Amino acid sequence: MDFQLTEEQEMIQATARDFARSEIVPVAAAHDESGEFPLDTIRKMGELGLMGIEVPDEYGGAGLDTIGYVLAMIEISAADAAHGTIMSVNNSLFCNGILKYGSEEQKQKYVREIATGEQIGAYALTEPQSGSDASRMRSRAVLSDDGSHYVINARKSWITSGPVARYMVLFAATDPDAGGRGITAFLVDSEREGLSLGKTEPKMGIRASATCEVELNDYRCPVEDRLGKEGEGFKIAMSVLDAGRIGIAAQAVGIAQAAYEASLEYARDRKAFGKEIGSFQMIQAKIADMKCRLEAARLLTLRAAWTKMQASQTGARFTAEGSMAKLVASEAAMWIAYQAVQIHGGMGYSKEMPVERYFRDAKITEIYEGTSEIQRMVIARSETGLR
Ligand code: CAA
């Protein structure tokens, strides 16, 4: 076992950290307040290779490994989780699926613009009636008589980056009676006729990442924009989420790290009863427990990334490792952010300090890309072999 990072991993970590501190930290609170999508910083992140970290150079990406992706995601999310969300969708949910299941033409056409940050990508799985029970979707795609295109009618909800995304990976049933085995994945273009945006969600946290409903009404999707085979869509959705959950685990580690570091600084500076509050045992216990949970989450996340890298050689699944990392890291982020607010006292409840934002942002990591309850189900199924 070797905990040493490679030169390339250290380089992407340092690049992301420098950018996050100089360009994202100064604007994070204002974007959280206004809810404005941070297009300027996202474009710059694209220029640095942060929007397609694992995408090979030939398709416009940085060509690095999953550990590099995790390290960069931690740094960006420590500065602002909303930037982390946008970055994770472009990297894990959009580019990753096309690299794994797409044709050469699809990789050339769709991956480059998203990996370079010129365009934003989205992933459209969830529907108003199906969230955790993802295979029970109502969206339908029907192949035209001449076999040239599919006609898609769909209503998708909670689409991260939906309001600004040019392209989306979208799932619809081509054989509704076949359940999960009747779902197919498509690449859709928001500038094409038949796709419209619905209501924007007014969110508690990650407010600068835009989220909305997306509707497709008789949208004509050329057959060459089908991703994978007919009926393969649910497996594509699930295996893309396996990788996505590692990204969300990294986002949670970033939020937890920011909350922990703010608390450490405050505990050293703030005085009460004639002493720094960090010298009181009740605060010391919190600091020790926060640090342990933070480092445990970081290790589990890096191990999941490493397992995914090994799996890319063998084709093995890394489902349980991704779920364990996401479960532990998201619950650590929520707990650490909660303690951070408490350590800051009244100032923790004020928008003048970033910890109240960390607290609001942490919550989503326990919900999206599979709730904590779904992660427990996935892990227990994998351990017991029972369903
Ligand atoms: N990789 C490959 N194949 C997989 C798989 C995986 N990780 N997981 C399941 N499958 C396959 C199974 O092998 C099975 O194949 P067969 O039909 O050949 O037997 C098929 O898929 C169906 O599997 P299950 O019977 O296990 O499916 P299920 O209906 O019981 O559901 C579930 C499993 C784990 C609950 C799944 O529905 C799930 O993960 N739900 C959560 C959905 C989710 O995470 N949504 C997040 C939305 S995206 C988002 O949040 C993005 C964002 O905003 C940023």
Side-chain angles (χ1 to χ4, degrees):
M1 193 182 298
D2 184 0
F3 287 96
Q4 189 63 47
L5 299 179
T6 65
E7 222 173 278
E8 281 186 329
Q9 290 162 352
E10 280 179 354
M11 187 199 72
I12 189 75
Q13 183 182 43
T15 302
R17 182 179 296 156
D18 291 348
F19 181 81
R21 289 181 183 174
S22 62
E23 303 269 346
I24 300 179
V25 169
V27 300
H31 276 283
D32 173 61
E33 186 68 26
S34 67
E36 187 196 342
F37 189 87
L39 198 55
D40 286 352
T41 35
I42 292 297
R43 289 262 151 78
K44 289 184 195 163
M45 283 166 66
E47 286 163 20
L48 290 173
L50 296 170
M51 285 294 152
I53 293 178
E54 294 174 84
V55 172
D57 181 51
E58 63 201 282
Y59 305 119
L64 299 175
D65 62 20
T66 315
I67 290 182
Y69 170 50
V70 159
L71 295 170
M73 177 62 84
I74 292 172
E75 297 302 330
I76 298 296
S77 302
D80 179 36
H83 280 76
T85 300
I86 301 159
M87 176 177 161
S88 84
V89 175
N90 266 31
N91 276 273
S92 330
L93 297 188
F94 192 86
C95 293
N96 188 52
I98 303 175
L99 287 177
K100 196 164 170 192
Y101 295 99
S103 64
E104 184 54 34
E105 292 70 34
Q106 289 172 339
K107 289 177 195 169
Q108 292 292 353
K109 182 174 167 192
Y110 292 104
V111 173
R112 176 174 298 279
E113 286 180 65
I114 303 298
T116 54
E118 284 161 63
Q119 298 289 354
I120 307 295
Y123 176 88
L125 175 69
T126 302
E127 300 185 355
Q129 304 79 13
S130 70
S132 293
D133 192 2
S135 68
R136 209 167 279 270
M137 63 180 61
R138 291 189 184 168
S139 295
R140 299 284 180 260
V142 179
L143 188 61
S144 62
D145 289 342
D146 65 0
S148 67
H149 62 273
Y150 289 87
V151 177
I152 307 180
N153 283 287
R155 186 162 166 225
K156 297 289 179 181
S157 52
W158 286 100
I159 306 308
T160 303
S161 296
V164 287
R166 170 71 196 266
Y167 305 119
M168 304 179 192
V169 180
L170 180 134
F171 301 87
T174 39
D175 183 357
D177 296 331
R181 291 183 180 186
I183 292 168
T184 302
F186 300 93
L187 293 163
V188 301
D189 183 341
S190 65
E191 291 190 356
R192 200 177 261 268
E193 204 184 331
L195 188 150
S196 59
L197 304 180
K199 78 170 168 109
T200 299
E201 300 297 343
K203 303 194 300 289
M204 171 199 284
I206 54 160
R207 288 175 32 76
S209 77
T211 311
C212 71
E213 285 196 341
V214 174
E215 264 193 59
L216 275 72
N217 289 302
D218 292 336
Y219 176 97
R220 288 160 68 100
C221 179
V223 76
E224 55 272 18
D225 286 343
R226 187 187 69 217
L227 182 64
K229 299 191 190 106
E230 262 197 24
E232 215 183 12
F234 192 65
K235 284 185 186 171
I236 294 177
M238 291 298 113
S239 83
V240 165
L241 282 171
D242 287 348
R245 288 167 183 165
I246 300 174
I248 301 306
Q251 179 187 38
V253 172
I255 300 168
Q257 182 173 294
Y260 172 72
E261 283 172 2
S263 304
L264 201 56
E265 198 184 321
Y266 195 77
R268 283 187 182 128
D269 287 353
R270 172 76 179 177
K271 290 199 175 67
F273 306 102
K275 294 201 272 192
E276 291 81 10
I277 62 167
S279 65
F280 293 115
Q281 283 188 352
M282 271 190 270
I283 301 293
Q284 287 181 346
K286 286 190 198 300
I287 296 288
D289 289 345
M290 289 160 86
K291 177 69 174 166
C292 290
R293 290 195 197 203
L294 169 62
E295 296 311 325
R298 191 193 310 277
L299 284 175
L300 214 43
T301 304
L302 286 167
R303 191 185 72 134
W306 181 85
T307 310
K308 174 175 174 277
M309 282 156 56
Q310 307 308 306
S312 69
Q313 313 294 324
T314 61
R317 273 171 57 173
F318 48 91
T319 307
E321 284 80 4
S323 284
M324 285 191 277
K326 181 182 182 287
L327 176 64
V328 169
S330 59
E331 292 193 347
M334 197 65 240
W335 189 84
I336 291 168
Y338 173 87
Q339 301 301 336
V341 170
Q342 194 65 19
I343 289 173
H344 282 74
M347 289 314 292
Y349 203 64
S350 165
K351 282 190 181 290
E352 281 178 32
M353 302 288 265
V355 287
E356 70 82 36
R357 172 162 56 89
Y358 304 150
F359 183 75
R360 286 184 287 108
D361 287 347
K363 185 62 205 167
I364 191 62
T365 65
E366 293 182 319
I367 298 173
Y368 64 10
E369 298 203 26
T371 61
S372 294
E373 289 75 12
I374 289 294
Q375 307 313 328
R376 286 189 165 86
M377 186 170 132
V378 169
I379 297 160
R381 280 182 179 182
S382 157
E383 284 295 293
T384 62
L386 300 171
R387 299 177 42 79

